[in-house]
Amino acid sequence: MVEIIPVKQVAEDERGTTHFFDTDRTGQFIIAYRKAGSASGRHYHKGTAVHKNPEQIIIMQGEATVNWLDVRSDKKGTIKIKAPVMVKIQPWAWHEVIADTDIIVFELNGLEDAKDDTFRLNQ
């Protein structure tokens, strides 16, 4: 339900590191800065929005915990992640991202993508 994909490092020098990832998505994207201890998500998508099937986010900086639950079964999991990684979240996976440290998140979708395809557990 949730897949963690390393973001590949291609270079390192005295300035720092350079990484890359591939995506076929275009349009608007979201950059979120989250404080340590905060929670994001706490919802699921049914996959009706193209850019939420699957949802893709990149943790660009920091460490986080991803909790997920398949709303159609009793499968659930917890994954600890450290930047930089891409997180792919399949439809029907309720999910939350808990910032263990301050984090920077890059979402490969825009605000409109989630408008009609975001559900809370009681919906």
Side-chain angles (χ1 to χ4, degrees):
M1 299 284 322
V2 174
E3 179 183 7
I4 307 301
I5 301 165
V7 176
K8 296 176 183 169
Q9 181 177 322
V10 294
E12 182 174 7
D13 62 21
E14 68 280 353
R15 301 170 294 167
T17 60
T18 301
H19 296 49
F20 79 96
F21 67 93
D22 293 314
T23 185
D24 58 356
R25 298 190 174 176
T26 62
Q28 292 185 340
F29 299 114
I30 298 168
I31 298 173
Y33 298 83
R34 297 292 181 255
K35 295 179 180 179
S38 67
S40 298
R42 296 189 169 168
H43 60 253
Y44 66 96
H45 309 285
K46 294 180 179 178
T48 58
V50 173
H51 290 137
K52 291 292 185 179
N53 190 7
E55 180 173 8
Q56 297 179 20
I57 65 173
I58 298 174
I59 306 299
M60 298 175 63
Q61 183 174 346
E63 297 179 23
T65 301
V66 178
N67 296 310
W68 63 271
L69 166 71
D70 183 340
V71 300
R72 299 169 300 175
S73 73
D74 60 355
K75 292 180 186 176
K76 62 182 177 179
T78 296
I79 305 166
K80 293 279 193 179
I81 57 176
K82 183 176 180 179
V85 294
M86 178 182 286
V87 181
K88 286 189 179 182
I89 304 162
Q90 296 300 319
W92 302 100
W94 176 92
H95 54 281
E96 69 178 355
V97 177
I98 307 293
D100 297 333
T101 65
D102 289 354
I103 60 174
I104 300 173
V105 181
F106 182 68
E107 278 195 51
L108 281 77
N109 57 259
L111 295 173
E112 286 296 311
D113 292 315
K115 187 176 173 186
D116 297 322
D117 190 17
T118 297
F119 303 90
R120 304 289 173 195
L121 281 178
N122 295 335
Q123 291 180 312

